[in-house]
Amino acid sequence: MTFKFRRGNAGIYLKAREARRAMGRIYYATMESPVGQLRLVAEEMGLRMVWFLHGGAKEKSHGDWKEDEAFFIDVRRQLREYFAGELREFDIPLLMEGTEFQKRVWKTLQTIPYGETISYGELAKKIGDPKAVRAVGAANGQNPIPIIVPCHRVIGSDGSLTGFGGGIENKKKLLELEKGQRRLL
């Protein structure tokens, strides 16, 4: 089984009400990766979430979700190629539910070139709201699809590796991979 739609790296963004109406069965799978176990969550229209399974309440699936490893063959392939340093841009349809502000931030994250970083302040400027640095940081932290939507490419204004749902060590690994300093697989 695969996604019904293919939409390049820009993804598919639906309003919350439209997303709930379009949502069919939710599928999930777990994937081992160089940055720890990942939980992949999707429905037929696209990928909804990637969770780092290193503790916390998000580890449990909902009762009406269906575990289906085969549904995620392409997502896993692309993630493995990324971790091997062979893939720079993902081609996975995305269904990201959030506020209009969050969606603007997440869409802008996808424009940060592979191997480059920007600060939260630069990201705020890119979305056209230079005073919204803290709000941008909060939206970045709420990114439901890390790695694929590269929130790890956002750093502190002093160059520090700040906040990442997968942990600072994993953020460092991902940035080193993208700068060609190592392969993760």
Side-chain angles (χ1 to χ4, degrees):
M1 194 174 267
T2 58
F3 299 119
K4 285 185 177 178
F5 294 94
R6 172 78 47 209
R7 280 272 185 112
N9 200 34
I12 301 170
Y13 294 88
L14 300 175
K15 292 181 181 170
R17 190 173 28 166
E18 292 168 337
R20 279 189 291 279
R21 225 179 335 179
M23 187 169 41
R25 178 178 289 262
I26 301 290
Y27 300 93
Y28 75 96
T30 303
M31 174 184 176
E32 294 296 331
S33 85
V35 293
Q37 261 193 336
L38 302 174
R39 169 75 40 89
L40 309 173
V41 180
E43 52 118 332
E44 289 181 4
M45 299 288 287
L47 187 67
R48 289 190 161 278
M49 292 172 256
V50 173
W51 292 336
F52 290 93
L53 294 180
H54 52 71
K58 289 186 175 181
E59 287 187 29
K60 297 179 179 149
S61 63
H62 297 270
D64 56 344
W65 291 8
K66 180 180 182 203
E67 187 169 10
D68 188 344
E69 302 289 326
F71 191 83
F72 295 93
I73 290 171
D74 191 47
V75 175
R76 287 179 170 175
R77 177 191 57 78
Q78 288 187 47
L79 282 166
R80 279 193 309 274
E81 289 174 3
Y82 169 80
F83 292 129
E86 300 165 357
L87 181 80
R88 293 176 173 238
E89 193 171 307
F90 292 93
D91 185 21
I92 299 169
L94 307 175
L95 292 173
M96 300 180 77
E97 194 172 319
T99 67
E100 290 305 314
F101 181 81
Q102 287 172 324
K103 290 180 197 176
R104 263 184 27 225
V105 171
W106 299 335
K107 192 168 191 141
T108 305
L109 288 173
Q110 294 179 74
T111 68
I112 305 169
Y114 180 93
E116 294 184 22
T117 58
I118 65 171
S119 70
Y120 292 97
E122 291 170 304
L123 184 56
K125 287 177 191 167
K126 278 184 171 249
I127 67 161
D129 198 347
K131 293 182 180 181
V133 177
R134 288 180 189 260
V136 162
N140 194 54
Q142 294 296 312
N143 172 15
I145 308 178
I147 304 170
I148 295 167
V149 176
C151 53
H152 61 277
R153 295 180 188 155
V154 183
I155 60 174
S157 60
D158 61 357
S160 61
L161 302 182
T162 60
F164 182 60
I168 297 300
E169 261 319 295
N170 284 332
K171 182 172 188 163
K172 182 178 178 183
K173 286 180 187 178
L174 294 170
L175 292 173
E176 287 175 353
L177 163 74
E178 292 186 7
K179 293 193 185 289
Q181 296 171 353
R182 72 157 114 164
R183 293 170 54 141
L184 296 180
L185 285 182

